[in-house]
Amino acid sequence: MSIRALLACVLGAGLVFAAPLSAVAQPARVEAVASVARTVESSTTADGRAVSLQIWTAPDERGVIVFSHGFGGAPEAYDRLLSEWAAHGFSVIAPLHLDSQKHPQHTRDGAAAFFARLGDVSAARALAASAHSGKPLIVAGHSFGSLLSFIQAGAVTPAGPQGDPAVKGVIAFSSPGNIPGLVADQTYAPLTSPLLMITGDKDLVPRYADDWRDHRTAFDASPAGDKTLLVFQNGDHQLVAAEAAFGPIVAATELFLDAYALGDAEAKARLAAFAAPGVTVERR
């Protein structure tokens, strides 16, 4: 069976990995966050398909992040976090994927969505290389989007190698679990890039992650070295939008950005010592 046919079976039937994030009440933004501009640009994938890219531009840019949203979601649902990253000096480029309920050609076909996503993130990286030349690149994602981030950093699926040597590290929220036919025993063996994996002990996705520990597979199965796992007590699949987790998430992710995109030794040491109430930290 071809990979497309297999994914149509596995990811079909209207299944989603992450419901669109509900709106989160926004507290007063600090001046730096308020100054972040979000714009929309159009690009084209290698096969000629148009893709919409939302961009959070850092006022004082030090690096760039390609971010992939959860299945069925949209980039703007993560505005609060992405604005924080931009205020910290990292512009964010986030494609609107074909599976998004906000996409004009929205599809629930998992196979079509997966292959379209590969083209989307490639287009986003091309923009990062051209419009943000010389800036270090981090990839990040939530749920199904985290799998795309793993792939860009070297993880291999039946679609073949898609890694980009420019990637300096991966920030992954609530991975999609061990998808049959897509995630195999050796998928994460080539994932040598630094990794910050964030999940919770209530992070369940029926049929795909019936045990929250499924989300830690990339952390456990990739080569040791510069890998950090944060597990939030009572954190569920929408942890990335949870008010109680927001402060620790921003703190940890910004230390990771400084440590591995900018080569900041002090930030790396602080990340190695990171701790927060209700958060279990593991390192490999």
Side-chain angles (χ1 to χ4, degrees), residues 178-255:
N178 302 318
I179 307 171
L182 194 54
V183 175
D185 290 344
Q186 295 301 309
T187 292
Y188 298 116
L191 184 59
T192 58
S193 297
L195 167 65
L196 176 60
M197 180 75 228
I198 300 173
T199 186
D201 61 9
K202 298 291 189 297
D203 193 347
L204 306 178
V205 183
R207 293 185 59 187
Y208 295 95
D210 291 318
D211 186 328
W212 73 265
R213 295 170 185 82
D214 292 340
H215 297 295
R216 58 179 294 151
T217 301
F219 172 79
D220 292 327
S222 59
D226 295 314
K227 305 292 195 300
T228 303
L229 171 68
L230 306 184
V231 181
F232 282 74
Q233 184 178 11
N234 296 319
D236 62 15
H237 203 58
Q238 305 303 327
L239 174 68
V240 65
E243 183 67 33
F246 188 72
I249 284 174
V250 170
T253 55
E254 291 184 351
L255 285 174

Side-chain angles (χ1 to χ4, degrees), residues 240-279:
V240 65
E243 183 67 33
F246 188 72
I249 284 174
V250 170
T253 55
E254 291 184 351
L255 285 174
F256 183 88
L257 292 171
D258 291 352
Y260 295 108
L262 305 181
D264 185 329
E266 180 182 354
K268 187 175 182 180
R270 291 173 61 196
L271 180 63
F274 180 84
V279 181

Side-chain angles (χ1 to χ4, degrees), residues 1-281:
M1 181 182 292
S2 71
I3 180 61
R4 287 183 180 274
L6 181 59
L7 286 176
C9 294
V10 173
L11 304 181
L15 297 175
V16 297
F17 290 106
L21 298 177
S22 58
V24 177
Q26 302 294 309
R29 301 291 184 92
V30 295
E31 184 178 349
V33 174
S35 69
V36 172
R38 178 167 66 92
T39 57
V40 179
E41 292 191 20
S42 295
S43 187
T44 305
T45 62
D47 61 1
R49 180 175 50 81
V51 57
S52 175
L53 302 170
Q54 294 192 29
I55 301 170
W56 284 255
T57 301
D60 184 13
E61 186 177 83
R62 300 183 294 159
V64 62
I65 301 168
V66 169
F67 181 85
S68 182
H69 63 73
F71 197 103
E76 61 266 29
Y78 306 84
D79 176 74
R80 186 181 181 196
L81 176 62
L82 305 189
S83 294
E84 289 282 353
W85 287 350
H88 190 65
F90 287 78
S91 295
V92 181
I93 303 173
L96 179 68
H97 295 305
L98 194 61
D99 53 81
S100 172
Q101 295 185 23
K102 295 191 174 184
H103 197 289
Q105 284 81 48
H106 168 65
T107 180
R108 297 171 70 90
D109 181 330
F114 175 70
F115 285 100
R117 277 172 172 259
L118 292 176
D120 294 344
V121 295
S122 179
R125 293 198 314 275
L127 179 62
S130 61
H132 307 265
S133 179
K135 295 298 193 297
L137 173 66
I138 296 288
V139 291
H142 173 229
S143 192
F144 199 32
S146 68
L147 178 61
L148 273 294
S149 297
F150 296 145
I151 291 169
Q152 294 175 85
V156 177
T157 69
Q162 305 280 331
D164 186 335
V167 171
K168 301 293 187 182
V170 181
I171 300 173
F173 297 94
S174 303
S175 79
N178 302 318
I179 307 171
L182 194 54
V183 175
D185 290 344
Q186 295 301 309
T187 292
Y188 298 116
L191 184 59
T192 58
S193 297
L195 167 65
L196 176 60
M197 180 75 228
I198 300 173
T199 186
D201 61 9
K202 298 291 189 297
D203 193 347
L204 306 178
V205 183
R207 293 185 59 187
Y208 295 95
D210 291 318
D211 186 328
W212 73 265
R213 295 170 185 82
D214 292 340
H215 297 295
R216 58 179 294 151
T217 301
F219 172 79
D220 292 327
S222 59
D226 295 314
K227 305 292 195 300
T228 303
L229 171 68
L230 306 184
V231 181
F232 282 74
Q233 184 178 11
N234 296 319
D236 62 15
H237 203 58
Q238 305 303 327
L239 174 68
V240 65
E243 183 67 33
F246 188 72
I249 284 174
V250 170
T253 55
E254 291 184 351
L255 285 174
F256 183 88
L257 292 171
D258 291 352
Y260 295 108
L262 305 181
D264 185 329
E266 180 182 354
K268 187 175 182 180
R270 291 173 61 196
L271 180 63
F274 180 84
V279 181
T280 299
V281 184

